[in-house]
Amino acid sequence: MTILAIDTSCDETAAAVIRNNRVISNVISSQVELHKKWGGVVPDIARRAHAERIDAVVNEALKRSRVKLDDIDYFAVTYGPGLAIALEIGVKKAKEMALKQNKPLVSVDHMEGHLLSSFAKNSLGRNPKGPTLTDLPAMGLLVSGGHTELVLMKDFGDYKIVGETLDDAAGEAFDKVAKMLNLGYPGGPIVTEFAEKGTPGSFDLPIPMENSGDLNFSFSGLKTACLYKIKDLKKSGKFKDQKLWIHNFCADFQNSVIKSLVIKLQQAIAEYKVKSVFLGGGVIANVPLRRAVRSAMKKSRVKVYQPYSPKLFGDNAAMIGVCAYYQIKRNDNMVLHDKNRIRELDRDPVLQIRTKD
Ligand code: KG4
Ligand code: ZN
């Protein structure tokens, strides 16, 4: 089956063409340049940019795939979670196309997309390091700018969120701390680069929720601790001499986030006795995080999977198409979030999954 998928959940306008779970094309138009000067995503700007770009992005995905619009069997779109006014643009476009082509439209949960992103295969159907059914049950560690979640996956469509952030997401913490340090947006890649040049251990930052006894995360305390440390640096006049301390500061911050994620992941795999871990979300671009996860899981003999390409780590539509493929296969519209919203969509004849008979 050939699927055209769209995602406009945050600040990336994305479209992809998928054949079963193979990624034929994957186009992502990033809005980072537009939001940069504001230090974060501005919803109105995001909406306008999605509206301006969606047609071109969809056309480019079709062009690169060399698939004709008439040969698309299903349309798929992210309905949530994400920025409501941004999501609407993708949903509207997908609905219009599905109606015009008289083909079914599948609504996809953005986080299920991140969870299943390791199952994506390249255009030739290759992903030798990818997971199979024998790797289930698995624990998804999903870390992005909007979410930090531990999701138990027993089967396709059988998911349970067993831990999540009580406040900021891990990526958001990277972005906010980078802002405090005047390092620009998005913070993740810059903080990582600075951390590489530093050594952790000089700033005594807390490891969030280390002993909370549950599987939830919280990064606002760490963020506040960073704010106080920066205030101290300003008071003592050292702040200006960033070269002397900023690399070590970033190393300490990154270390605290990674430790917090790994500790909870270790607790989760012990509690739920899973066979593998699936990594997803923009923050998994962080190499020290992946290394720490792999090293901790090796000790527990749990396999670790990640998408075959970094283009599938952050927001993209290929993961939405892959997710739609598994939904269509099981004839189900199971979602992780917002059950009411999906019921509402299910009543909408256009958004219902209709299998061909
Ligand atoms: O999944 P994603 O592209 O978008 C959301 O759904 O939010 O994730 C974006 C987040 C941003 O907060 C960004 O700072 C973070 O991922 N990020 C990183 C790295 N690269 C991107 N965080 C830590 N280390 C990185 N190398
Ligand atoms: Zn995302």
Side-chain angles (χ1 to χ4, degrees):
M1 69 181 88
T2 309
I3 304 166
L4 192 146
I6 293 175
D7 184 290
T8 59
S9 57
C10 191
D11 60 344
E12 257 100 31
T13 314
V17 174
I18 304 297
R19 188 164 290 134
N20 293 345
N21 55 0
R22 295 181 185 191
V23 181
I24 311 298
S25 69
N26 185 17
V27 177
I28 303 164
S29 168
S30 169
Q31 300 175 7
V32 160
E33 288 306 318
L34 300 177
H35 300 286
K36 222 176 191 169
K37 65 175 172 211
W38 307 103
V41 178
V42 184
D44 271 336
I45 295 177
R47 181 193 169 86
R48 206 173 318 134
H50 285 309
E52 280 166 14
R53 296 174 184 195
I54 188 73
D55 289 352
V57 168
V58 167
N59 289 341
E60 186 63 23
L62 279 167
K63 192 173 142 199
R64 286 192 202 170
S65 71
R66 300 202 183 128
V67 171
K68 287 196 206 83
L69 185 56
D70 285 345
D71 294 331
I72 298 292
D73 303 309
Y74 292 88
F75 291 85
V77 66
T78 302
Y79 77 89
L83 274 176
I85 61 169
L87 288 160
E88 278 168 14
I89 302 291
V91 170
K92 185 168 161 267
K93 175 75 181 168
K95 261 189 173 184
E96 275 168 15
M97 294 186 91
L99 269 176
K100 193 157 172 243
Q101 294 298 116
N102 195 26
K103 293 284 162 62
L105 176 58
V106 183
S107 53
V108 176
D109 183 303
H110 182 78
M111 297 312 286
E112 189 183 351
H114 279 304
L115 179 67
L116 301 189
S117 56
S118 296
F119 284 92
K121 292 185 191 300
N122 72 10
S123 60
L124 301 171
R126 291 204 192 110
N127 180 11
K129 290 186 187 156
T132 64
L133 276 176
T134 58
D135 292 303
L136 301 175
M139 187 59 66
L141 176 65
L142 312 181
V143 267
S144 71
H147 292 85
T148 306
E149 291 180 352
L150 282 164
V151 181
L152 173 67
M153 172 176 177
K154 288 189 183 157
D155 198 353
F156 289 99
D158 187 347
Y159 314 119
K160 189 179 169 203
I161 299 169
V162 296
E164 62 192 320
T165 182
L166 304 175
D167 39 62
D168 293 347
E172 202 178 349
F174 270 95
D175 296 338
K176 286 182 178 167
V177 167
K179 200 173 175 181
M180 289 175 203
L181 297 170
N182 303 325
L183 293 181
Y185 175 84
I190 314 165
V191 171
T192 309
E193 203 187 307
F194 276 55
E196 227 169 78
K197 296 178 192 146
T199 322
S202 37
F203 282 92
D204 192 29
L205 292 173
I207 298 167
M209 304 282 276
E210 192 180 9
N211 301 310
S212 72
D214 59 23
L215 298 175
N216 291 327
F217 305 94
S218 164
F219 294 102
S220 70
L222 174 61
K223 194 182 66 189
T224 310
C226 287
L227 190 68
Y228 282 117
K229 296 280 176 197
I230 291 167
K231 269 190 185 159
D232 288 346
L233 285 162
K234 281 184 178 161
K235 239 190 242 164
S236 64
K238 286 184 192 154
F239 188 79
K240 281 183 229 132
D241 267 331
Q242 283 207 340
K243 269 188 210 141
L244 297 176
W245 56 270
I246 200 156
H247 299 123
N248 288 347
F249 190 93
C250 288
D252 264 327
F253 166 74
Q254 178 177 269
N255 202 37
S256 282
V257 175
I258 293 176
K259 279 202 169 140
S260 178
L261 292 169
V262 172
I263 287 169
K264 296 297 167 142
L265 179 63
Q266 277 173 315
Q267 286 173 12
I269 60 140
E271 197 172 325
Y272 291 97
K273 299 183 180 53
V274 294
K275 290 190 198 159
S276 61
V277 164
F278 298 162
L279 298 175
V283 182
I284 69 155
N286 188 289
V287 177
L289 168 64
R290 295 208 306 267
R291 214 178 284 141
V293 166
R294 285 192 187 278
S295 145
M297 293 304 108
K298 201 170 176 187
K299 285 182 200 134
S300 312
R301 299 214 173 124
V302 167
K303 286 190 209 161
V304 180
Y305 293 100
Q306 67 187 58
Y308 73 81
S309 155
K311 266 190 93 181
L312 295 164
F313 292 173
D315 287 348
N316 67 88
M319 68 181 190
I320 301 305
V322 168
C323 200
Y325 161 71
Y326 287 107
Q327 284 192 21
I328 296 160
K329 240 176 55 151
R330 66 179 191 262
N331 193 18
D332 182 17
N333 223 342
M334 167 72 195
V335 287
L336 276 168
H337 302 86
D338 204 350
K339 301 278 189 295
N340 288 330
R341 178 78 201 269
I342 197 70
R343 270 185 220 115
E344 194 184 297
L345 293 178
D346 274 346
R347 280 196 293 271
D348 183 332
V350 180
L351 279 162
Q352 267 176 26
I353 292 185
R354 285 175 270 138
T355 44
K356 287 177 184 163
D357 42 20

